[in-house]
Amino acid sequence: MSLLELSGLTAAYGAVAALSGLDLAVEEGEIVTLLGANGAGKSTTLRCISGLLPPTGGEIRFAGAAIAGLSAERVVRLGIAHVPEGRRIFPRMTVRENLLGASNRRSARAALARDAEEMFALFPDLERFADTLGWMLSGGQQQMVALARGLMARPRLLLLDEPSLGLAPLIVQQVFRIIARIRETRTTVLLVEQNARLALAIADRGYVLETGRLVVAGKPDALWNNEDVRAAYLGGKRLSEESGAR
């Protein structure tokens, strides 16, 4: 049984269809990436899983239980954390306060403090800014806080939406190194990312979407070396074009 299974999932924004019969699965411990052009339905998929957007049809199963249509609060309690596009940390709270306020567990203060220290170990750059207000952080630092906040809930499944958006190239590399390390926390990751090369470099498998439908799925090497996929969805040239250019 897969940790996450979507079967025939459909979703819409008003009269506009966003997902049309989407099927995918994520196994425990994997990093799986969703790729595709803008408007392909990637972020919508995450919103349906996390309860932010009720699907119009199909099934979502997490650890064997049907979760389609549950509230976002219930989905979090089941073990799914969603780090949305744009970071959205609390700007007038310190880094430490952002982390301590993110847990969905009614744990003792000491336990939460230990969890925060674990996050500082995973994100060493944040410890220096533990008492800094969110609005004073750089975009890269805010993204680190957003990732750490998601992990404070100790989710089984972490949904990441465009973690590299708006970041400088060196910071993007750092963010992706941390995402790869998240696997060591026994957290499964479903990643939406426009930077296909970096996403496929850390993923176990990938799905390519187009206008709410699954186009192709496979291992990273197979997707990257598929001429049609690279040309249409991953921003690359066909291999035949590259060969002709040499």
Side-chain angles (χ1 to χ4, degrees), residues 9-65:
L9 189 68
T10 61
Y13 296 99
V16 179
L19 296 177
S20 303
L22 181 62
D23 297 329
L24 65 81
V26 179
E27 305 300 326
E28 187 121 34
E30 283 190 314
I31 297 177
V32 173
T33 186
L34 299 182
L35 303 171
N38 289 334
K42 307 183 300 297
S43 295
T44 298
T45 301
L46 299 192
R47 288 171 58 82
C48 287
I49 296 167
S50 66
L52 295 176
L53 178 68
T56 55
E59 289 189 345
I60 305 173
R61 303 190 73 84
F62 178 67

Side-chain angles (χ1 to χ4, degrees), residues 95 99 120 123-130 137 141 144-145 148:
V95 168
L99 298 186
F120 289 139
F123 302 86
D125 287 351
L126 288 185
E127 189 167 17
R128 294 186 293 124
F129 301 99
L137 301 175
Q141 291 161 353
M144 302 294 181
V145 174

Side-chain angles (χ1 to χ4, degrees), residues 153-164:
R154 294 193 177 275
R156 292 182 68 184
L157 175 63
L158 183 65
L159 309 177
L160 298 181
D161 195 354
E162 301 286 5
S164 75

Side-chain angles (χ1 to χ4, degrees), residues 217-240:
K219 294 287 187 178
D221 287 348
L223 292 179
W224 190 254
N225 291 315
N226 182 308
E227 293 190 16
D228 292 328
V229 170
R230 292 178 77 235
Y233 308 110
L234 305 186
K237 295 180 179 180
R238 292 177 181 273
L239 298 182
S240 57

Side-chain angles (χ1 to χ4, degrees), residues 163-184:
S164 75
L165 186 67
L167 301 182
L170 287 177
I171 302 301
V172 170
Q173 295 284 347
Q174 185 179 5
V175 167
F176 270 81
R177 284 195 295 270
I178 289 173
I179 294 172
R181 286 184 61 196
I182 286 173
R183 186 199 308 271
E184 300 172 13

